[in-house]
Amino acid sequence: MAAGSAVPVPASHLDAARDAEAATVAANAAMAARLPFADTADFESASRGLIAPVPDGLVLAASGTVLWNLGDWSFIDGEAAPATVNPSLWRMARLNRANGLFKVTDRLYQLRGFDLANMTVIEGDSGVILIDPLTTAEAARAALAHYFAHRPKKPVIAVIYTHSHADHFGGVRGVIDEADAKAGKVEVIAPNGFMEAVGGESVLAGLPMIRRAQFQFGALLPRGARGQVDAGLGKAAARGTPGLIAPTRLIVQPVEEHTIDGVHIVFQLAPDTEAPAEMHMFYPAFGVLNMAENACPLLHNFIPLRGSVVRDPRVWSRYIGDAIRLYGDRTEVMIGQHHWPTWGRAAVLDRLEAQRDLYKHIHDQTLRYMNRGWRPAEIAEAIDLPPGLAERWSVRGYYGTVSHNVKAVYQRYLSWYDGNPCNLHPLPPAPAAAKLVQYMGGATAVIARARADFARGEYRWVAQVMKEVVFAEPANEEARSLCADALEQMGYQAESATWRNAFLYGAQELRHGVFQLPPRFMLSGDILAGLSTDVLFDALAIRLDPAKAAGHAFQLNWRFMDRDEEVVLTLRHSTLTHRLAERSDRAAASVTTTRAALDSVILRKISVQDALASGAIKIEGDVAKLGSLFGMLEQPGGLMFDVLTPGAGRR
Ligand SMILES: [Zn+2]
């Protein structure tokens, strides 16, 4: 295999990683003894229908840069897990190595292992329908080329986005042209609320989400038995160029039926489940049910570690139940937009019922304990999957965990606050840590005790207490190193890929510092163009520096010629508010422009001054007010902010 690693961090970081401690070896052995490793049906399903693997295991940029290299995971071979990997996670890491073009049924194919998600291809009468064009144009282009290398080359008639997460739409520009979508030559179909969900989830809090996603996916961890082995949903998220083409048709009814290029598709909306806008599909002619990302062979997240608005497991469970009722008696194969299919009606129903009950069980039992006054961390320890579920591979916590899903349920109903007023107004992390460590007799004394606990295998506690020493004394190398060692053992024991990645990446940042990525603008032009003007003005409002805005009060009228929209923007009390479809008589100035021009200013492709000079932005009234407003907006901060240490300005 040609080519190097697709990970931009030195593999030598693994040299600092320690081996599994005795307690980790014992914990992983206990897990291996408890789970049904004799049941290997998933391995047959994951390889069934393989036509050809990903060519050379590679996705390259046009420049030749390696963006994706399945060879990075070639160390994952053999049934026996290394001592540094949880054996259940090792099993999933092996399964997720299956890759290539797969035939599911006549006229229905899947491309797996080009990215985190799958691209599904349905062969219509005259062309192909693509479902979920991966995260990046490069990944989607490579996947489609691989399909055409083995199947008749036909035009793309339609693209369907199952939901609003970037691994399911971001590569669309690699497979269709926007002009064809606008001209009606290619349909782009999405669930109702798709564009609002894309903007709502990933824009206003987008930057910290990207930073936190580094921990969830381990993107900056070297691959290896002491590093990243998997991401739960697949091997990793693709690198390359993300984009978005807006849907040309939305599915708005709870169930809608359409025939697209001769293929009858029944769409079932499932909003507020794994994504705010999501839908399942049933293809009656093939007997195939596509559950999008709502019934993966694992426990999914009620909140992913990257952060999100809390999902609703009650509704999620109900939509799975609806799919069983609507399509259960006609389904022969279930597919998803991650992982491998399930063949056979009985097996499909069994899997769906387990997923339905999994999400409902965690929801209900968390509330049962909440109603007895239990606190989040206590409930997280108390709840386990019940018999009948616990021993099934398809509900294991490779991505979500019972522990953090319990906390998500608590947050959904009762907030972050556990109700104890002692927790209502504590000191912030750094000053609290300084006091704690001082009370405990100073850093040296704390580290000495923690070393003894480390030797006893009490890694959770060691990480918890070393966090205090690191926050009290961020430069204390002994504390950082012991904290890293404890996190690392927790990573080696974690069944969840996202937990493993978070623990190991935390250890890496403590040992080697924060990896400095080259600066880049976090918001893609496509996502910005796709934002409603309503959300766009909120995206500007969250950048207002209140000190710079203090004492200013004015209104600006905006008219966007390309969208036929009007907005009144009001600055008062160091706060920006806006009203759509209104115009003020008392505005200091009236701006006439296009959304395209404003987007260019926000993306810093042109300055306000240049836009004014070129006439891209026209102002009547007090011309200085626009520049004054932009002068009050903070530029987005750097991505690689401190996570494991207090961070400047936050002591
Ligand atoms: Zn996904």
Side-chain angles (χ1 to χ4, degrees):
M1 192 166 295
S5 168
V7 189
V9 283
S12 60
H13 281 181
L14 287 187
D15 298 346
R18 293 175 57 154
D19 204 351
E21 297 286 331
T24 295
V25 173
N28 285 344
M31 189 94 175
R34 201 165 69 233
L35 290 171
F37 282 90
D39 171 5
T40 58
D42 284 337
F43 286 90
E44 287 147 42
S45 298
S47 60
R48 180 168 167 175
L50 175 66
I51 292 170
V54 175
D56 296 325
L58 293 174
V59 175
L60 305 178
S63 63
T65 304
V66 177
L67 297 174
W68 178 258
N69 185 356
L70 289 169
D72 288 346
W73 292 283
S74 56
F75 66 93
I76 301 172
D77 58 356
E79 282 179 37
T84 53
V85 183
N86 177 292
S88 178
L89 175 58
W90 183 253
R91 175 189 166 278
M92 181 55 106
R94 290 175 62 215
L95 283 162
N96 279 336
R97 285 197 71 204
N99 66 86
L101 173 65
F102 295 82
K103 178 174 179 172
V104 178
T105 62
D106 282 342
R107 297 175 67 173
L108 197 148
Y109 294 77
Q110 284 196 310
L111 294 142
R112 305 185 205 132
F114 286 85
D115 189 355
L116 194 66
N118 300 336
M119 184 158 78
T120 302
V121 184
I122 297 179
E123 299 182 344
D125 290 344
S126 61
V128 293
I129 301 162
L130 304 182
I131 299 163
D132 290 357
L134 308 180
T135 313
T136 65
E138 293 87 346
R141 191 178 294 126
L144 186 60
H146 187 54
Y147 167 81
F148 283 139
H150 298 275
R151 297 293 304 160
K153 184 149 189 186
K154 289 184 175 179
V156 178
I157 299 286
V159 170
I160 300 174
Y161 305 140
T162 61
H163 62 288
S164 51
H165 292 152
D167 53 327
H168 300 267
F169 65 80
V172 66
R173 286 185 187 277
V175 293
I176 59 168
D177 281 333
E178 186 163 28
D180 290 343
K182 285 189 169 153
K185 281 200 256 177
V186 181
E187 268 204 288
V188 181
I189 302 170
N192 197 29
F194 177 84
M195 292 300 277
E196 293 80 356
V198 168
E201 274 217 321
S202 64
V203 173
L204 296 182
L207 190 133
M209 252 182 217
I210 295 170
R211 173 72 168 124
R212 292 164 59 122
Q214 293 172 347
F215 286 79
Q216 172 173 338
F217 291 109
L220 298 173
L221 271 178
R223 282 66 169 109
R226 297 183 186 185
Q228 199 263 14
V229 300
D230 203 71
L233 292 177
K235 296 318 297 177
R239 296 168 65 225
T241 316
L244 174 61
I245 294 175
T248 58
R249 183 206 287 262
L250 290 177
I251 303 301
V252 295
Q253 299 300 326
V255 176
E256 265 186 49
E257 308 200 13
H258 297 279
T259 298
I260 299 159
D261 197 28
V263 181
H264 185 203
I265 303 181
V266 186
F267 296 89
Q268 181 206 358
L269 286 184
D272 298 318
T273 52
E274 187 265 337
E278 185 145 355
M279 60 185 180
H280 311 149
M281 274 171 272
F282 181 63
Y283 317 110
F286 315 137
V288 174
L289 175 63
N290 185 344
M291 289 297 288
E293 199 167 326
N294 274 340
C296 295
L298 46 67
L299 170 59
H300 212 292
N301 285 306
F302 298 171
I303 308 182
L305 303 189
R306 69 167 160 83
S308 76
V309 171
V310 189
R311 297 165 186 168
D312 189 346
R314 193 164 145 264
V315 164
W316 191 336
S317 171
R318 188 185 304 153
Y319 279 116
I320 295 173
D322 288 348
I324 294 172
R325 181 177 57 78
L326 289 166
Y327 316 115
D329 61 356
R330 292 180 285 163
T331 297
E332 303 302 332
V333 189
M334 175 168 71
I335 59 170
Q337 293 301 128
H338 291 276
H339 308 104
W340 54 89
T342 303
W343 276 272
R345 186 173 305 163
V348 169
L349 289 175
D350 188 55
R351 277 244 0 248
L352 281 174
E353 285 167 4
Q355 285 279 309
R356 175 196 66 195
D357 297 345
L358 171 68
Y359 299 133
K360 190 72 165 37
H361 182 84
I362 297 171
H363 169 271
D364 292 356
Q365 292 305 313
T366 302
L367 276 153
R368 185 169 75 89
Y369 279 101
M370 282 162 62
N371 279 301
R372 286 155 57 184
W374 286 45
R375 302 168 186 92
E378 295 161 349
I379 306 173
E381 297 294 310
I383 292 186
D384 240 330
L385 296 182
L389 285 184
E391 62 275 15
R392 283 168 181 270
W393 291 121
S394 68
V395 301
R396 304 293 312 175
Y398 300 114
Y399 195 49
T401 65
V402 173
S403 173
H404 74 252
N405 281 346
V406 161
K407 292 172 183 174
V409 174
Y410 192 100
Q411 181 179 327
R412 183 173 177 91
Y413 286 94
L414 293 180
S415 90
W416 59 272
Y417 175 46
D418 68 0
N420 180 345
C422 296
N423 293 328
L424 184 55
H425 197 48
L427 291 180
K435 278 283 187 193
L436 264 174
V437 171
Q438 186 197 342
Y439 276 34
M440 289 190 286
T444 308
V446 181
I447 291 167
R449 289 193 183 107
R451 281 201 194 290
D453 285 336
F454 184 91
R456 282 188 286 270
E458 296 180 32
Y459 309 123
R460 286 171 70 182
W461 170 248
V462 173
Q464 195 174 337
V465 75
M466 277 304 102
K467 176 199 77 182
E468 303 296 346
V469 182
V470 171
F471 267 67
E473 301 179 12
N476 187 321
E477 282 302 326
E478 254 191 296
R480 292 174 73 114
S481 164
L482 184 55
C483 191
D485 291 348
L487 288 175
E488 186 168 72
Q489 296 302 314
M490 293 167 74
Y492 293 166
Q493 291 185 28
E495 183 180 31
S496 164
T498 62
W499 278 34
R500 176 186 173 92
N501 292 336
F503 290 137
L504 296 189
Y505 188 58
Q508 180 171 298
E509 286 208 345
L510 283 168
R511 286 176 180 147
H512 304 286
V514 176
F515 185 80
Q516 290 306 325
L517 288 169
R520 66 185 169 104
F521 207 81
M522 288 303 147
L523 197 56
S524 92
D526 275 356
I527 298 282
L528 190 59
L531 283 189
S532 68
T533 299
D534 189 23
V535 176
L536 180 83
F537 274 89
D538 279 333
L540 289 178
I542 63 169
R543 287 168 46 191
L544 187 74
D545 181 340
K548 287 182 181 163
H552 293 273
F554 56 83
Q555 288 187 312
L556 290 177
N557 285 326
W558 293 77
R559 173 171 291 156
F560 296 105
M561 310 295 283
D562 51 347
R563 302 200 182 189
D564 199 19
E565 288 178 324
E566 291 205 287
V567 185
V568 182
L569 182 66
T570 302
L571 172 65
R572 208 166 164 230
H573 306 128
S574 291
T575 305
L576 284 170
T577 56
H578 64 271
R579 305 277 307 163
L580 299 174
E582 289 182 18
R583 206 165 169 80
S584 168
D585 303 337
R586 290 169 295 141
S590 293
V591 182
T592 303
T593 182
T594 58
R595 262 294 303 275
L598 180 59
D599 289 2
S600 296
V601 170
I602 292 169
L603 290 167
R604 297 165 81 184
K605 288 182 181 163
I606 52 169
S607 67
V608 178
Q609 289 69 27
D610 289 347
L612 287 168
S614 72
I617 297 180
K618 296 193 181 74
I619 307 187
E620 287 168 44
D622 185 350
V623 176
K625 282 288 186 286
L626 186 64
S628 158
L629 174 70
F630 273 90
M632 297 170 192
L633 301 181
E634 201 169 65
Q635 283 310 322
L639 173 63
M640 302 304 286
F641 53 75
D642 292 280
V643 174
L644 286 115
T645 51
R650 287 186 274 152
R651 299 300 312 269

